[in-house]
Amino acid sequence: MGERILLIEDDRQLGAQIVDHLGRAGFEPTWWTEGRALRPDEAAAWRLIILDLMLPGTYGMDILKQLRDGSDVPVLILSARNDTADKVRALKLGADDYMTKPFWPEELVERVRARLRRPVMQRQDSGVDIGALHVDLQAREVRVHGAPVELTRVEFDLLAALARRPGAAVTRQWLVENVLDPDREGTERTLDVHVSRLRRKLGPGKHIETVWGIGYRLGEGEDP
């Protein structure tokens, strides 16, 4: 039995194409044509959710926002809106990917596969392990290949913010507003300086990846 995917899409022709391609790719899709709130225990039944924004019943962004209050299930957004502000808002609310319509269903399937290859943090765990990197969120400790890494308060908070959404892009604006001290250092230029220092302390590899035009994300940290 394949991994379970929830598709929330009201366009019946497009939805049928997506379900067909997901099924032939080995996944087990469930298709909803109307939007509604998802409880965390419901969301746990799926490995990934594909979510259209313009839905009868409720707005897709509202579903995403409510979902992120209690679940870290990966969410891939579908939308006919190609505006950068919409993409940034979706990523800021916790989306893992954003595809604009029209698109090839084959590309969607590959995006799903790529997202499922990335680790997802379990909320009940205090520690996050990604490649050689270990982040203990409660003890505020960081190790790379088992060796401790000394970080400043801002550096740890920055790494922790990315570690809570491994593999997902976090906007620079969100990091400035939620990690930096707005009265002393709340600028994107200052954020980039902290990222540069954090990368040096974590050592060789691609632990913190730049997502051009959006922000940063925590990757596998494999040596180049």
PDB file of all heavy atoms in Angstrom, residues 22-58:
ATOM      1  N   LEU A  22      -1.179  10.394  -9.230  1.00  0.00           N
ATOM      2  CA  LEU A  22      -0.691   9.951  -7.927  1.00  0.00           C
ATOM      3  C   LEU A  22      -0.877   8.451  -7.755  1.00  0.00           C
ATOM      4  O   LEU A  22       0.017   7.757  -7.247  1.00  0.00           O
ATOM      5  CB  LEU A  22      -1.427  10.695  -6.813  1.00  0.00           C
ATOM      6  CG  LEU A  22      -1.087  12.175  -6.617  1.00  0.00           C
ATOM      7  CD1 LEU A  22      -2.032  12.809  -5.598  1.00  0.00           C
ATOM      8  CD2 LEU A  22       0.356  12.355  -6.172  1.00  0.00           C
ATOM      9  N   GLY A  23      -2.025   7.943  -8.185  1.00  0.00           N
ATOM     10  CA  GLY A  23      -2.275   6.506  -8.078  1.00  0.00           C
ATOM     11  C   GLY A  23      -1.300   5.695  -8.895  1.00  0.00           C
ATOM     12  O   GLY A  23      -0.779   4.668  -8.437  1.00  0.00           O
ATOM     13  N   ARG A  24      -1.040   6.143 -10.131  1.00  0.00           N
ATOM     14  CA  ARG A  24      -0.102   5.404 -10.998  1.00  0.00           C
ATOM     15  C   ARG A  24       1.336   5.528 -10.509  1.00  0.00           C
ATOM     16  O   ARG A  24       2.173   4.692 -10.858  1.00  0.00           O
ATOM     17  CB  ARG A  24      -0.222   5.911 -12.437  1.00  0.00           C
ATOM     18  CG  ARG A  24      -1.526   5.450 -13.084  1.00  0.00           C
ATOM     19  CD  ARG A  24      -1.532   5.598 -14.583  1.00  0.00           C
ATOM     20  NE  ARG A  24      -1.808   6.973 -14.995  1.00  0.00           N
ATOM     21  CZ  ARG A  24      -0.976   7.734 -15.693  1.00  0.00           C
ATOM     22  NH1 ARG A  24       0.204   7.276 -16.055  1.00  0.00           N
ATOM     23  NH2 ARG A  24      -1.325   8.956 -16.043  1.00  0.00           N
ATOM     24  N   ALA A  25       1.612   6.562  -9.683  1.00  0.00           N
ATOM     25  CA  ALA A  25       2.952   6.712  -9.120  1.00  0.00           C
ATOM     26  C   ALA A  25       3.133   5.900  -7.837  1.00  0.00           C
ATOM     27  O   ALA A  25       4.209   5.917  -7.235  1.00  0.00           O
ATOM     28  CB  ALA A  25       3.234   8.190  -8.839  1.00  0.00           C
ATOM     29  N   GLY A  26       2.080   5.197  -7.412  1.00  0.00           N
ATOM     30  CA  GLY A  26       2.204   4.329  -6.246  1.00  0.00           C
ATOM     31  C   GLY A  26       1.667   4.908  -4.951  1.00  0.00           C
ATOM     32  O   GLY A  26       1.777   4.275  -3.894  1.00  0.00           O
ATOM     33  N   PHE A  27       1.070   6.102  -5.011  1.00  0.00           N
ATOM     34  CA  PHE A  27       0.500   6.704  -3.813  1.00  0.00           C
ATOM     35  C   PHE A  27      -0.962   6.281  -3.646  1.00  0.00           C
ATOM     36  O   PHE A  27      -1.577   5.743  -4.575  1.00  0.00           O
ATOM     37  CB  PHE A  27       0.588   8.235  -3.888  1.00  0.00           C
ATOM     38  CG  PHE A  27       2.005   8.756  -3.934  1.00  0.00           C
ATOM     39  CD1 PHE A  27       2.529   9.269  -5.112  1.00  0.00           C
ATOM     40  CD2 PHE A  27       2.806   8.721  -2.806  1.00  0.00           C
ATOM     41  CE1 PHE A  27       3.825   9.748  -5.160  1.00  0.00           C
ATOM     42  CE2 PHE A  27       4.111   9.203  -2.843  1.00  0.00           C
ATOM     43  CZ  PHE A  27       4.628   9.711  -4.026  1.00  0.00           C
ATOM     44  N   GLU A  28      -1.500   6.545  -2.469  1.00  0.00           N
ATOM     45  CA  GLU A  28      -2.901   6.248  -2.182  1.00  0.00           C
ATOM     46  C   GLU A  28      -3.635   7.579  -1.939  1.00  0.00           C
ATOM     47  O   GLU A  28      -3.673   8.078  -0.804  1.00  0.00           O
ATOM     48  CB  GLU A  28      -3.015   5.347  -0.956  1.00  0.00           C
ATOM     49  CG  GLU A  28      -4.443   4.911  -0.665  1.00  0.00           C
ATOM     50  CD  GLU A  28      -4.535   4.047   0.584  1.00  0.00           C
ATOM     51  OE1 GLU A  28      -3.479   3.591   1.070  1.00  0.00           O
ATOM     52  OE2 GLU A  28      -5.665   3.841   1.067  1.00  0.00           O
ATOM     53  N   PRO A  29      -4.194   8.195  -2.985  1.00  0.00           N
ATOM     54  CA  PRO A  29      -4.799   9.519  -2.823  1.00  0.00           C
ATOM     55  C   PRO A  29      -6.237   9.469  -2.317  1.00  0.00           C
ATOM     56  O   PRO A  29      -7.005   8.562  -2.649  1.00  0.00           O
ATOM     57  CB  PRO A  29      -4.744  10.095  -4.245  1.00  0.00           C
ATOM     58  CG  PRO A  29      -4.813   8.891  -5.139  1.00  0.00           C
ATOM     59  CD  PRO A  29      -4.155   7.764  -4.396  1.00  0.00           C
ATOM     60  N   THR A  30      -6.573  10.468  -1.501  1.00  0.00           N
ATOM     61  CA  THR A  30      -7.953  10.745  -1.105  1.00  0.00           C
ATOM     62  C   THR A  30      -8.270  12.148  -1.600  1.00  0.00           C
ATOM     63  O   THR A  30      -7.465  13.060  -1.436  1.00  0.00           O
ATOM     64  CB  THR A  30      -8.128  10.674   0.422  1.00  0.00           C
ATOM     65  OG1 THR A  30      -7.828   9.358   0.874  1.00  0.00           O
ATOM     66  CG2 THR A  30      -9.543  11.043   0.827  1.00  0.00           C
ATOM     67  N   TRP A  31      -9.456  12.341  -2.186  1.00  0.00           N
ATOM     68  CA  TRP A  31      -9.780  13.610  -2.848  1.00  0.00           C
ATOM     69  C   TRP A  31     -11.009  14.242  -2.204  1.00  0.00           C
ATOM     70  O   TRP A  31     -12.070  13.631  -2.154  1.00  0.00           O
ATOM     71  CB  TRP A  31     -10.014  13.344  -4.332  1.00  0.00           C
ATOM     72  CG  TRP A  31     -10.371  14.547  -5.156  1.00  0.00           C
ATOM     73  CD1 TRP A  31     -10.202  15.858  -4.836  1.00  0.00           C
ATOM     74  CD2 TRP A  31     -10.945  14.528  -6.458  1.00  0.00           C
ATOM     75  NE1 TRP A  31     -10.638  16.663  -5.844  1.00  0.00           N
ATOM     76  CE2 TRP A  31     -11.110  15.872  -6.858  1.00  0.00           C
ATOM     77  CE3 TRP A  31     -11.353  13.506  -7.318  1.00  0.00           C
ATOM     78  CZ2 TRP A  31     -11.656  16.215  -8.093  1.00  0.00           C
ATOM     79  CZ3 TRP A  31     -11.896  13.845  -8.535  1.00  0.00           C
ATOM     80  CH2 TRP A  31     -12.038  15.181  -8.930  1.00  0.00           C
ATOM     81  N   TRP A  32     -10.828  15.477  -1.724  1.00  0.00           N
ATOM     82  CA  TRP A  32     -11.940  16.291  -1.249  1.00  0.00           C
ATOM     83  C   TRP A  32     -12.164  17.429  -2.231  1.00  0.00           C
ATOM     84  O   TRP A  32     -11.201  18.055  -2.689  1.00  0.00           O
ATOM     85  CB  TRP A  32     -11.653  16.898   0.127  1.00  0.00           C
ATOM     86  CG  TRP A  32     -11.534  15.911   1.243  1.00  0.00           C
ATOM     87  CD1 TRP A  32     -11.710  14.564   1.186  1.00  0.00           C
ATOM     88  CD2 TRP A  32     -11.190  16.216   2.601  1.00  0.00           C
ATOM     89  NE1 TRP A  32     -11.501  14.000   2.415  1.00  0.00           N
ATOM     90  CE2 TRP A  32     -11.179  14.977   3.306  1.00  0.00           C
ATOM     91  CE3 TRP A  32     -10.893  17.375   3.291  1.00  0.00           C
ATOM     92  CZ2 TRP A  32     -10.891  14.913   4.668  1.00  0.00           C
ATOM     93  CZ3 TRP A  32     -10.608  17.320   4.638  1.00  0.00           C
ATOM     94  CH2 TRP A  32     -10.599  16.090   5.324  1.00  0.00           C
ATOM     95  N   THR A  33     -13.420  17.742  -2.532  1.00  0.00           N
ATOM     96  CA  THR A  33     -13.731  18.831  -3.457  1.00  0.00           C
ATOM     97  C   THR A  33     -14.168  20.102  -2.741  1.00  0.00           C
ATOM     98  O   THR A  33     -14.399  21.127  -3.372  1.00  0.00           O
ATOM     99  CB  THR A  33     -14.841  18.411  -4.443  1.00  0.00           C
ATOM    100  OG1 THR A  33     -15.997  18.008  -3.707  1.00  0.00           O
ATOM    101  CG2 THR A  33     -14.361  17.263  -5.330  1.00  0.00           C
ATOM    102  N   GLU A  34     -14.266  20.051  -1.426  1.00  0.00           N
ATOM    103  CA  GLU A  34     -14.609  21.231  -0.634  1.00  0.00           C
ATOM    104  C   GLU A  34     -13.643  21.357   0.538  1.00  0.00           C
ATOM    105  O   GLU A  34     -13.159  20.354   1.061  1.00  0.00           O
ATOM    106  CB  GLU A  34     -16.046  21.153  -0.108  1.00  0.00           C
ATOM    107  CG  GLU A  34     -17.112  21.235  -1.196  1.00  0.00           C
ATOM    108  CD  GLU A  34     -18.508  21.334  -0.617  1.00  0.00           C
ATOM    109  OE1 GLU A  34     -18.632  21.335   0.632  1.00  0.00           O
ATOM    110  OE2 GLU A  34     -19.473  21.412  -1.398  1.00  0.00           O
ATOM    111  N   GLY A  35     -13.379  22.591   0.934  1.00  0.00           N
ATOM    112  CA  GLY A  35     -12.472  22.824   2.045  1.00  0.00           C
ATOM    113  C   GLY A  35     -13.187  22.835   3.379  1.00  0.00           C
ATOM    114  O   GLY A  35     -14.341  23.241   3.474  1.00  0.00           O
ATOM    115  N   ARG A  36     -12.507  22.357   4.400  1.00  0.00           N
ATOM    116  CA  ARG A  36     -13.017  22.417   5.772  1.00  0.00           C
ATOM    117  C   ARG A  36     -11.842  22.295   6.723  1.00  0.00           C
ATOM    118  O   ARG A  36     -10.732  21.896   6.331  1.00  0.00           O
ATOM    119  CB  ARG A  36     -14.029  21.308   6.043  1.00  0.00           C
ATOM    120  CG  ARG A  36     -13.479  19.894   5.960  1.00  0.00           C
ATOM    121  CD  ARG A  36     -14.539  18.890   6.411  1.00  0.00           C
ATOM    122  NE  ARG A  36     -14.110  17.509   6.292  1.00  0.00           N
ATOM    123  CZ  ARG A  36     -13.348  16.872   7.192  1.00  0.00           C
ATOM    124  NH1 ARG A  36     -12.886  17.528   8.249  1.00  0.00           N
ATOM    125  NH2 ARG A  36     -13.016  15.603   7.017  1.00  0.00           N
ATOM    126  N   ALA A  37     -12.061  22.658   7.969  1.00  0.00           N
ATOM    127  CA  ALA A  37     -10.999  22.585   8.968  1.00  0.00           C
ATOM    128  C   ALA A  37     -10.564  21.137   9.182  1.00  0.00           C
ATOM    129  O   ALA A  37     -11.377  20.214   9.110  1.00  0.00           O
ATOM    130  CB  ALA A  37     -11.476  23.192  10.284  1.00  0.00           C
ATOM    131  N   LEU A  38      -9.269  20.979   9.442  1.00  0.00           N
ATOM    132  CA  LEU A  38      -8.699  19.655   9.683  1.00  0.00           C
ATOM    133  C   LEU A  38      -8.162  19.580  11.100  1.00  0.00           C
ATOM    134  O   LEU A  38      -7.318  20.384  11.498  1.00  0.00           O
ATOM    135  CB  LEU A  38      -7.547  19.398   8.704  1.00  0.00           C
ATOM    136  CG  LEU A  38      -7.846  18.694   7.395  1.00  0.00           C
ATOM    137  CD1 LEU A  38      -6.652  18.816   6.476  1.00  0.00           C
ATOM    138  CD2 LEU A  38      -8.157  17.239   7.633  1.00  0.00           C
ATOM    139  N   ARG A  39      -8.657  18.638  11.883  1.00  0.00           N
ATOM    140  CA  ARG A  39      -8.108  18.435  13.215  1.00  0.00           C
ATOM    141  C   ARG A  39      -6.743  17.749  13.103  1.00  0.00           C
ATOM    142  O   ARG A  39      -6.492  17.000  12.157  1.00  0.00           O
ATOM    143  CB  ARG A  39      -9.043  17.567  14.060  1.00  0.00           C
ATOM    144  CG  ARG A  39     -10.442  18.124  14.255  1.00  0.00           C
ATOM    145  CD  ARG A  39     -11.191  17.305  15.319  1.00  0.00           C
ATOM    146  NE  ARG A  39     -11.093  15.876  15.060  1.00  0.00           N
ATOM    147  CZ  ARG A  39     -11.946  15.193  14.290  1.00  0.00           C
ATOM    148  NH1 ARG A  39     -12.940  15.827  13.669  1.00  0.00           N
ATOM    149  NH2 ARG A  39     -11.788  13.892  14.112  1.00  0.00           N
ATOM    150  N   PRO A  40      -5.842  17.977  14.085  1.00  0.00           N
ATOM    151  CA  PRO A  40      -4.522  17.333  14.043  1.00  0.00           C
ATOM    152  C   PRO A  40      -4.590  15.818  13.930  1.00  0.00           C
ATOM    153  O   PRO A  40      -3.785  15.198  13.229  1.00  0.00           O
ATOM    154  CB  PRO A  40      -3.882  17.772  15.365  1.00  0.00           C
ATOM    155  CG  PRO A  40      -4.533  19.073  15.680  1.00  0.00           C
ATOM    156  CD  PRO A  40      -5.954  18.931  15.202  1.00  0.00           C
ATOM    157  N   ASP A  41      -5.570  15.186  14.610  1.00  0.00           N
ATOM    158  CA  ASP A  41      -5.657  13.729  14.531  1.00  0.00           C
ATOM    159  C   ASP A  41      -6.101  13.272  13.151  1.00  0.00           C
ATOM    160  O   ASP A  41      -5.707  12.206  12.678  1.00  0.00           O
ATOM    161  CB  ASP A  41      -6.605  13.186  15.600  1.00  0.00           C
ATOM    162  CG  ASP A  41      -8.010  13.758  15.483  1.00  0.00           C
ATOM    163  OD1 ASP A  41      -8.150  14.928  15.107  1.00  0.00           O
ATOM    164  OD2 ASP A  41      -8.967  13.032  15.774  1.00  0.00           O
ATOM    165  N   GLU A  42      -6.903  14.092  12.455  1.00  0.00           N
ATOM    166  CA  GLU A  42      -7.270  13.785  11.077  1.00  0.00           C
ATOM    167  C   GLU A  42      -6.059  13.933  10.165  1.00  0.00           C
ATOM    168  O   GLU A  42      -5.808  13.083   9.305  1.00  0.00           O
ATOM    169  CB  GLU A  42      -8.368  14.728  10.606  1.00  0.00           C
ATOM    170  CG  GLU A  42      -9.750  14.473  11.149  1.00  0.00           C
ATOM    171  CD  GLU A  42     -10.756  15.407  10.521  1.00  0.00           C
ATOM    172  OE1 GLU A  42     -10.717  16.608  10.842  1.00  0.00           O
ATOM    173  OE2 GLU A  42     -11.560  14.951   9.696  1.00  0.00           O
ATOM    174  N   ALA A  43      -5.326  15.030  10.326  1.00  0.00           N
ATOM    175  CA  ALA A  43      -4.179  15.305   9.467  1.00  0.00           C
ATOM    176  C   ALA A  43      -3.121  14.214   9.575  1.00  0.00           C
ATOM    177  O   ALA A  43      -2.405  13.930   8.610  1.00  0.00           O
ATOM    178  CB  ALA A  43      -3.573  16.665   9.822  1.00  0.00           C
ATOM    179  N   ALA A  44      -3.023  13.593  10.735  1.00  0.00           N
ATOM    180  CA  ALA A  44      -2.014  12.549  10.950  1.00  0.00           C
ATOM    181  C   ALA A  44      -2.245  11.323  10.076  1.00  0.00           C
ATOM    182  O   ALA A  44      -1.349  10.486   9.938  1.00  0.00           O
ATOM    183  CB  ALA A  44      -1.986  12.149  12.421  1.00  0.00           C
ATOM    184  N   ALA A  45      -3.437  11.217   9.474  1.00  0.00           N
ATOM    185  CA  ALA A  45      -3.734  10.052   8.629  1.00  0.00           C
ATOM    186  C   ALA A  45      -3.038  10.135   7.278  1.00  0.00           C
ATOM    187  O   ALA A  45      -2.971   9.133   6.564  1.00  0.00           O
ATOM    188  CB  ALA A  45      -5.244   9.925   8.426  1.00  0.00           C
ATOM    189  N   TRP A  46      -2.520  11.321   6.920  1.00  0.00           N
ATOM    190  CA  TRP A  46      -1.886  11.499   5.616  1.00  0.00           C
ATOM    191  C   TRP A  46      -0.425  11.891   5.747  1.00  0.00           C
ATOM    192  O   TRP A  46      -0.034  12.569   6.701  1.00  0.00           O
ATOM    193  CB  TRP A  46      -2.639  12.568   4.810  1.00  0.00           C
ATOM    194  CG  TRP A  46      -3.994  12.122   4.382  1.00  0.00           C
ATOM    195  CD1 TRP A  46      -4.314  11.281   3.354  1.00  0.00           C
ATOM    196  CD2 TRP A  46      -5.248  12.446   4.997  1.00  0.00           C
ATOM    197  NE1 TRP A  46      -5.668  11.077   3.283  1.00  0.00           N
ATOM    198  CE2 TRP A  46      -6.269  11.778   4.274  1.00  0.00           C
ATOM    199  CE3 TRP A  46      -5.618  13.254   6.074  1.00  0.00           C
ATOM    200  CZ2 TRP A  46      -7.610  11.892   4.607  1.00  0.00           C
ATOM    201  CZ3 TRP A  46      -6.954  13.359   6.408  1.00  0.00           C
ATOM    202  CH2 TRP A  46      -7.934  12.688   5.675  1.00  0.00           C
ATOM    203  N   ARG A  47       0.358  11.463   4.762  1.00  0.00           N
ATOM    204  CA  ARG A  47       1.779  11.818   4.728  1.00  0.00           C
ATOM    205  C   ARG A  47       1.997  13.195   4.124  1.00  0.00           C
ATOM    206  O   ARG A  47       3.012  13.842   4.394  1.00  0.00           O
ATOM    207  CB  ARG A  47       2.548  10.776   3.912  1.00  0.00           C
ATOM    208  CG  ARG A  47       2.742   9.471   4.626  1.00  0.00           C
ATOM    209  CD  ARG A  47       3.909   9.546   5.596  1.00  0.00           C
ATOM    210  NE  ARG A  47       5.181   9.510   4.895  1.00  0.00           N
ATOM    211  CZ  ARG A  47       6.080  10.484   4.850  1.00  0.00           C
ATOM    212  NH1 ARG A  47       5.845  11.633   5.439  1.00  0.00           N
ATOM    213  NH2 ARG A  47       7.217  10.326   4.187  1.00  0.00           N
ATOM    214  N   LEU A  48       1.034  13.659   3.321  1.00  0.00           N
ATOM    215  CA  LEU A  48       1.166  14.967   2.684  1.00  0.00           C
ATOM    216  C   LEU A  48      -0.213  15.439   2.253  1.00  0.00           C
ATOM    217  O   LEU A  48      -1.073  14.626   1.897  1.00  0.00           O
ATOM    218  CB  LEU A  48       2.112  14.893   1.479  1.00  0.00           C
ATOM    219  CG  LEU A  48       2.390  16.190   0.721  1.00  0.00           C
ATOM    220  CD1 LEU A  48       3.872  16.278   0.313  1.00  0.00           C
ATOM    221  CD2 LEU A  48       1.527  16.287  -0.535  1.00  0.00           C
ATOM    222  N   ILE A  49      -0.426  16.761   2.294  1.00  0.00           N
ATOM    223  CA  ILE A  49      -1.684  17.354   1.860  1.00  0.00           C
ATOM    224  C   ILE A  49      -1.420  18.300   0.689  1.00  0.00           C
ATOM    225  O   ILE A  49      -0.524  19.154   0.769  1.00  0.00           O
ATOM    226  CB  ILE A  49      -2.366  18.121   3.013  1.00  0.00           C
ATOM    227  CG1 ILE A  49      -2.752  17.146   4.134  1.00  0.00           C
ATOM    228  CG2 ILE A  49      -3.600  18.881   2.510  1.00  0.00           C
ATOM    229  CD1 ILE A  49      -3.294  17.826   5.377  1.00  0.00           C
ATOM    230  N   ILE A  50      -2.164  18.127  -0.400  1.00  0.00           N
ATOM    231  CA  ILE A  50      -2.112  19.030  -1.548  1.00  0.00           C
ATOM    232  C   ILE A  50      -3.343  19.920  -1.452  1.00  0.00           C
ATOM    233  O   ILE A  50      -4.475  19.430  -1.483  1.00  0.00           O
ATOM    234  CB  ILE A  50      -2.104  18.252  -2.869  1.00  0.00           C
ATOM    235  CG1 ILE A  50      -0.901  17.295  -2.917  1.00  0.00           C
ATOM    236  CG2 ILE A  50      -2.066  19.206  -4.056  1.00  0.00           C
ATOM    237  CD1 ILE A  50      -0.921  16.343  -4.116  1.00  0.00           C
ATOM    238  N   LEU A  51      -3.142  21.216  -1.318  1.00  0.00           N
ATOM    239  CA  LEU A  51      -4.222  22.123  -0.944  1.00  0.00           C
ATOM    240  C   LEU A  51      -4.390  23.248  -1.964  1.00  0.00           C
ATOM    241  O   LEU A  51      -3.470  24.039  -2.188  1.00  0.00           O
ATOM    242  CB  LEU A  51      -3.922  22.718   0.436  1.00  0.00           C
ATOM    243  CG  LEU A  51      -4.875  23.788   0.976  1.00  0.00           C
ATOM    244  CD1 LEU A  51      -6.272  23.218   1.176  1.00  0.00           C
ATOM    245  CD2 LEU A  51      -4.329  24.352   2.291  1.00  0.00           C
ATOM    246  N   ASP A  52      -5.568  23.309  -2.582  1.00  0.00           N
ATOM    247  CA  ASP A  52      -5.921  24.445  -3.440  1.00  0.00           C
ATOM    248  C   ASP A  52      -6.299  25.621  -2.543  1.00  0.00           C
ATOM    249  O   ASP A  52      -6.791  25.433  -1.426  1.00  0.00           O
ATOM    250  CB  ASP A  52      -7.093  24.057  -4.340  1.00  0.00           C
ATOM    251  CG  ASP A  52      -7.451  25.152  -5.342  1.00  0.00           C
ATOM    252  OD1 ASP A  52      -6.560  25.953  -5.686  1.00  0.00           O
ATOM    253  OD2 ASP A  52      -8.611  25.196  -5.769  1.00  0.00           O
ATOM    254  N   LEU A  53      -6.079  26.848  -3.022  1.00  0.00           N
ATOM    255  CA  LEU A  53      -6.396  28.016  -2.205  1.00  0.00           C
ATOM    256  C   LEU A  53      -7.843  28.466  -2.355  1.00  0.00           C
ATOM    257  O   LEU A  53      -8.506  28.806  -1.386  1.00  0.00           O
ATOM    258  CB  LEU A  53      -5.454  29.179  -2.539  1.00  0.00           C
ATOM    259  CG  LEU A  53      -4.004  29.018  -2.092  1.00  0.00           C
ATOM    260  CD1 LEU A  53      -3.213  30.294  -2.381  1.00  0.00           C
ATOM    261  CD2 LEU A  53      -3.915  28.674  -0.606  1.00  0.00           C
ATOM    262  N   MET A  54      -8.345  28.483  -3.585  1.00  0.00           N
ATOM    263  CA  MET A  54      -9.697  28.975  -3.834  1.00  0.00           C
ATOM    264  C   MET A  54     -10.675  27.802  -3.797  1.00  0.00           C
ATOM    265  O   MET A  54     -10.842  27.077  -4.780  1.00  0.00           O
ATOM    266  CB  MET A  54      -9.766  29.690  -5.179  1.00  0.00           C
ATOM    267  CG  MET A  54      -8.754  30.823  -5.314  1.00  0.00           C
ATOM    268  SD  MET A  54      -8.866  32.050  -3.979  1.00  0.00           S
ATOM    269  CE  MET A  54     -10.489  32.728  -4.296  1.00  0.00           C
ATOM    270  N   LEU A  55     -11.309  27.615  -2.640  1.00  0.00           N
ATOM    271  CA  LEU A  55     -12.171  26.456  -2.415  1.00  0.00           C
ATOM    272  C   LEU A  55     -13.560  26.885  -1.949  1.00  0.00           C
ATOM    273  O   LEU A  55     -13.690  27.891  -1.236  1.00  0.00           O
ATOM    274  CB  LEU A  55     -11.569  25.549  -1.335  1.00  0.00           C
ATOM    275  CG  LEU A  55     -10.271  24.832  -1.660  1.00  0.00           C
ATOM    276  CD1 LEU A  55      -9.634  24.320  -0.379  1.00  0.00           C
ATOM    277  CD2 LEU A  55     -10.533  23.676  -2.623  1.00  0.00           C
ATOM    278  N   PRO A  56     -14.590  26.142  -2.320  1.00  0.00           N
ATOM    279  CA  PRO A  56     -15.900  26.376  -1.714  1.00  0.00           C
ATOM    280  C   PRO A  56     -15.882  25.923  -0.257  1.00  0.00           C
ATOM    281  O   PRO A  56     -15.265  24.917   0.080  1.00  0.00           O
ATOM    282  CB  PRO A  56     -16.852  25.514  -2.554  1.00  0.00           C
ATOM    283  CG  PRO A  56     -15.970  24.445  -3.136  1.00  0.00           C
ATOM    284  CD  PRO A  56     -14.616  25.069  -3.327  1.00  0.00           C
ATOM    285  N   GLY A  57     -16.490  26.684   0.585  1.00  0.00           N
ATOM    286  CA  GLY A  57     -16.536  26.305   1.996  1.00  0.00           C
ATOM    287  C   GLY A  57     -15.625  27.142   2.855  1.00  0.00           C
ATOM    288  O   GLY A  57     -16.041  27.719   3.850  1.00  0.00           O
ATOM    289  N   THR A  58     -14.358  27.258   2.474  1.00  0.00           N
ATOM    290  CA  THR A  58     -13.407  28.059   3.232  1.00  0.00           C
ATOM    291  C   THR A  58     -12.181  28.340   2.370  1.00  0.00           C
ATOM    292  O   THR A  58     -11.918  27.634   1.384  1.00  0.00           O
ATOM    293  CB  THR A  58     -12.991  27.351   4.534  1.00  0.00           C
ATOM    294  OG1 THR A  58     -12.184  28.230   5.323  1.00  0.00           O
ATOM    295  CG2 THR A  58     -12.199  26.091   4.247  1.00  0.00           C
TER     296      THR A  58
END
